[in-house]
Amino acid sequence: MHIIKGTPISPGIAIGKAIVKNTLQSEIHLEQNKNPNDEKQRFHEARLEAIEQIKGIYEQMLQTKGEEEAEIFMAHITMLEDVELIEGVESTIDELSCNAEWALHHIAKNFIAIFEAMDVEYMKERAMDIRDISSRVQRILSSDETHNIFELKEPAIIVAQDLTPSDTAQMDPNLVIGIINEDGGPTSHAAIIARMMGVPLIVYSNITSLVSSGQMIAFDGSTGDINLHPTKEFIEEYREKQLKLIEKKEQLEKLKGTKTITTDGFKVELAGNIGMPKDVKAVLEQDGEAVGLFRTEFLYMSRNDFPDEEEQFLAYKEVVEKMQGHPVVIRTLDIGGDKELDYLEIPKEMNPFLGCRAIRLCLSKPALWKVQIRALLRASVFGELRIMLPMITVMEELIAAKEIIEEAKEELRNEKITFNENVSVGMMMETPAAAVMADVFAKEVDFFSIGTNDLVQYTIAVDRMNTQVAHLYSPYHPAVLRLIKKIVDSAHEAGIWAGMCGEAAADKKLIPLWIGIGLDELSMSPPSLLETREQIQGLSKKEAEKLVDEVLSLKTAKMIEERLQ
Ligand code: PEP
Ligand code: MG
């Protein structure tokens, strides 16, 4: 048997043909018999888009760094308009009837070789510039390739090096049977989205070198087992497993319409996490009682410019209306970390998760952020919309964010546009600093929602994306659990509610603790909702409280996990 073991990320059985998505530059292949006019057009469109992107960076650099540093980007534009480069690519396409990627790769390589051979340092540096512009155009060209790959004609398993969150969000869950990715931990956003869509996912480094497109493979997303050459018997066995999962799902259907309540009457609000308005359907289908986290950054990703106020307003209104008066917690833009926006040039950072991310980024671009706040306020009259601020770490950020919300309200009043004057404003609890200061923050907001994905990484200093340190990343760490208890106690003392919307909210081993600690709301991927309800209906709050005392006296994550097992 050809079974290899990867890291299980999103549960479920996948059996099907693989499609391998290679994204590295070195993977550019010569493809012939292409239509030269189409390829030249693709090249020009990508080149012009690259010029537009660079103009944006130039303006930004001009404002933030000054003329000298911005100048280099002008030079990049000149290069992209260079007749020799353009004619070189065009004539290569004509001669070979080849793909635009290969023609550009070939011409850029020649230019680089010429510049590198020169004695003058200044000229040598131009080789770097050529590399830079060429990889920008290649990225643009490959993003339309990516698009093609996800416009699948038939069901397939996607095998990829570095599937981005927006790649995953663009996939059609009816055609993507499963994903094997080389990168990312269980709380990377590509993983979260896959779980939300109910698509099985495993991480296995090097997988793209072991599998070819068209190869039949099978894997189990809950164990991490990947069979690269499954036999007929093996496929039969996996089909049976699949059937059992379907049966279990059918059984859970019976819980629809019942309450999420413990045997001794403690009620929890069971909510779903979404990334796009269309995901509400899954929340409703799984009988979610609320939307506990709408990650609005996905509205901004997978496109080429910012969604305007009207577009955002319609998206938020749609979700709020579909939830028919049930709460909808909408988190303001959380870009940065592993979520990038191609059209928002954020300077490369050494530690993007510790950098200009989420509320920090938004407060540095208040005009842009206010567009979102205005859209949220306008949608607030259509149901129970709540605004949530991501990654608040220090009080100044909360004050500044609330000031902008007040400004937006004032603008709307002046424009005679209605909104809910009492709209709830809450904050994510995802940094240790915020957790330690929870009693202080609790007096300033209407609710807390604990983002364990980040709270874990920041508390134990383990990058949630880094597979090298993935063994250290644990929501069972006593430091994390103590912080969570402190957050919930502080919320209750101040008379506000506290929920949880990180992946740990649906962790079967931890749910008894969340009940014992007294979380008011749990928000998770829709496929986990009914299973969680079933579990909660079998728990006693009193017993769970005893468990919390016992667990919080244990010293290590391992001891805690074993006890909860
Ligand atoms: C979290 O950090 O737990 C969270 C819900 O936010 P995100 O995963 O989008 O960072
Ligand atoms: Mg987070």
Side-chain angles (χ1 to χ4, degrees), residues 244-310:
K244 287 219 172 86
L245 290 176
I246 294 169
E247 275 169 23
K248 172 75 189 163
K249 252 180 131 179
E250 282 169 1
Q251 253 180 26
L252 287 171
E253 297 270 310
K254 295 196 191 106
L255 295 180
K256 287 188 183 172
T258 65
K259 288 189 179 146
T260 313
I261 192 165
T262 61
T263 51
D264 47 357
F266 177 72
K267 207 176 161 312
V268 183
E269 186 169 71
L270 198 59
N273 291 349
I274 65 169
M276 291 295 270
K278 66 173 171 43
D279 303 335
V280 176
K281 190 165 167 257
V283 177
L284 292 168
E285 273 170 12
Q286 298 306 310
D287 208 23
E289 299 156 22
V291 168
L293 168 65
F294 178 175
R295 288 182 165 95
T296 57
E297 47 279 8
F298 287 95
L299 281 180
Y300 290 69
M301 290 151 73
S302 341
R303 50 182 294 142
N304 297 322
D305 54 5
F306 289 101
D308 64 20
E309 182 181 315
E310 190 61 19

Side-chain angles (χ1 to χ4, degrees), residues 484-495:
I484 290 174
K485 180 153 186 342
K486 155 111 183 129
I487 294 167
V488 179
D489 289 347
S490 302
H492 291 166
E493 272 159 34

Side-chain angles (χ1 to χ4, degrees), residues 189 295 331 339 357 428 430 451-454 464 501-502:
H189 284 92
R295 288 182 165 95
R331 182 176 74 181
K339 288 174 290 195
R357 183 193 166 191
M428 296 276 301
E430 43 189 356
T452 49
N453 306 335
D454 280 313
R464 66 195 258 196
C501 59

Side-chain angles (χ1 to χ4, degrees), residues 19 25 92 125 173 371 428 535 539:
I19 287 201
Q25 285 273 342
T92 309
E125 281 169 13
V371 174
M428 296 276 301
Q535 191 183 354
L539 292 172

